[in-house]
Amino acid sequence: MGLVPITDLLKDAQKGGYAVGAFNCNNMEIVQAIIDAAEAEKAPVIMQASQGAIKYAGLEYIVGMANIAAKNASVPVALHLDHGTDFAQVMKCIRYGFSSVMIDGSKYPLEENIAVTNRVLEVGRAVGVSVEAELGKIGGTEDDVTVDERDASMTDPEEAKYFVEKTGVDALAIAIGTAHGQYKGEPKLDFERLEKITKVIDTPIVLHGSSGVPDEAITRAIELGVSKINIDTNIREAFTGGAREAIEKMPDEIDPRKILKVAKEQMEAVIREKIRLFKSSGKA
Ligand code: G3H
Ligand code: 13P
Ligand code: ZN
């Protein structure tokens, strides 16, 4: 199977009452951990590349690894651009072979966000690439731009309705109290707001900043209609935690493969847990 867009994956998730995990990848070990976890759980999966991943690995490596992963996988695999910054970057990713893109116009006023999303959608529709947009500002560190959590504004349900009417976007990222990165305290999600949003739009909803959100809150969010859940920080923690543990246990080891094997096993375990929590196990 080749890389697939996320449109059908998310529609099936909406119908089936589960969410598809969208896991950030930065190198080969992370790609392998994501694919091995998805295969073991027989789950559809989204691999996504952030701005940091593009800078670190380069688009060609990312697309190359994702293509090989998807070709050999028995589960549907999408390669998605995470927080695409502008029209030009999104076009470049489509040309390199991403099957799905996010255009993050949340930094713009509403009408500008709608306009840039529509430009991307016109191309996405023409070439069969799905498009995610963002409405409201998700707190924490967002790619190169640090959004002060205090200023982070939540998604307005009426605005969401208007945004979807004006764009018909394939997936919508919303701000309901989650933030990127490690939480200092326990995040409190605004479920009332989420419920209001899912009542007025049918578009699949994306939850960003989902690492560190308590399991019960994730379950509730899925029950209320979230169908794509982004996880990055928990994978980073598992990678570095595994590598540290291996180095401590084998201080004289000079073979990086022996260190990274442990990192990979720990990432795979975390990703499998998430897939089960998202109820997408067995849905491939
Ligand atoms: O969007 C959130 C990701 O965790 C971005 O992180 O650009 O540092 O890879 P990164
Ligand atoms: P976390 O790093 O908080 O899991 O967020 C990931 C994310 O939202 C990527 O877009
Ligand atoms: Zn995000």
Side-chain angles (χ1 to χ4, degrees):
M1 227 188 290
L3 291 164
V4 298
I6 65 173
T7 327
D8 288 343
L9 301 188
L10 299 190
K11 279 192 190 140
D12 288 347
Q14 272 184 318
K15 278 185 233 143
Y18 61 92
V20 181
F23 302 103
N24 284 71
C25 60
N26 293 280
N27 64 14
M28 184 188 75
E29 284 74 16
I30 303 178
V31 168
Q32 289 174 336
I34 295 169
I35 294 297
D36 291 352
E39 292 265 20
E41 293 296 333
K42 299 187 171 32
V45 75
I46 300 166
M47 286 196 294
Q48 51 188 18
S50 67
Q51 299 307 306
I54 293 169
K55 270 185 223 145
Y56 176 75
L59 281 178
E60 279 174 301
Y61 273 97
I62 290 168
V63 175
M65 290 188 292
N67 273 328
I68 292 163
K71 189 171 127 253
N72 296 329
S74 60
V75 296
V77 180
L79 177 63
H80 181 74
L81 169 65
D82 192 25
H83 295 283
T85 51
D86 54 48
F87 182 77
Q89 183 188 50
V90 171
M91 292 306 108
K92 196 170 168 189
C93 288
I94 291 177
R95 176 142 198 214
Y96 271 71
F98 280 62
S99 59
S100 186
V101 291
M102 174 180 188
I103 173 70
D104 183 353
S106 64
K107 54 189 173 290
Y108 300 124
L110 180 63
E111 293 300 331
E112 257 180 81
N113 189 355
I114 290 172
V116 71
T117 301
N118 277 331
R119 281 182 78 200
V120 171
L121 270 165
E122 194 180 343
V123 179
R125 293 279 178 270
V127 297
V129 166
S130 46
V131 180
E132 172 183 339
E134 177 171 324
L135 187 64
K137 291 193 184 75
I138 296 155
T141 304
E142 203 167 275
D143 307 316
D144 285 332
V145 190
T146 302
V147 184
D148 191 318
E149 278 189 47
R150 279 166 307 163
D151 295 334
S153 54
M154 298 219 187
T155 308
D156 175 66
E158 281 310 306
E159 233 173 62
K161 184 168 181 273
Y162 178 74
F163 189 91
V164 163
E165 278 165 7
K166 292 283 174 190
T167 59
V169 75
D170 300 311
L172 185 66
I174 54 159
I176 56 163
T178 58
H180 294 110
Q182 285 182 316
Y183 289 99
K184 290 185 189 87
E186 188 175 296
K188 294 268 173 291
L189 274 59
D190 187 343
F191 291 116
E192 249 175 67
R193 184 179 297 272
L194 174 59
E195 206 166 358
K196 281 188 192 148
I197 296 169
T198 51
K199 273 203 179 121
V200 293
I201 65 171
D202 285 333
T203 311
I205 295 198
V206 185
L207 194 65
H208 283 243
S210 308
S211 297
V213 174
D215 288 1
E216 317 79 65
I218 292 287
T219 302
R220 183 90 188 104
I222 295 170
E223 281 165 4
L224 290 174
V226 164
S227 47
K228 173 177 179 271
I229 301 186
N230 289 6
I231 297 284
D232 185 358
T233 300
N234 284 158
I235 300 176
R236 298 180 188 206
E237 290 165 346
F239 189 120
T240 49
R244 268 193 204 105
E245 203 182 291
I247 288 170
E248 275 163 25
K249 267 196 201 143
M250 305 177 275
D252 299 324
E253 182 57 66
I254 58 100
D255 186 342
R257 294 167 297 193
K258 301 219 169 100
I259 308 297
L260 294 181
K261 183 175 179 284
V262 182
K264 201 157 78 178
E265 282 164 1
Q266 299 206 2
M267 288 190 284
E268 188 184 333
V270 165
I271 296 164
R272 285 189 70 170
E273 264 171 43
K274 295 294 175 190
I275 289 174
R276 288 197 288 265
L277 175 64
F278 303 162
K279 298 189 177 68
S280 56
S281 232
K283 306 293 186 193

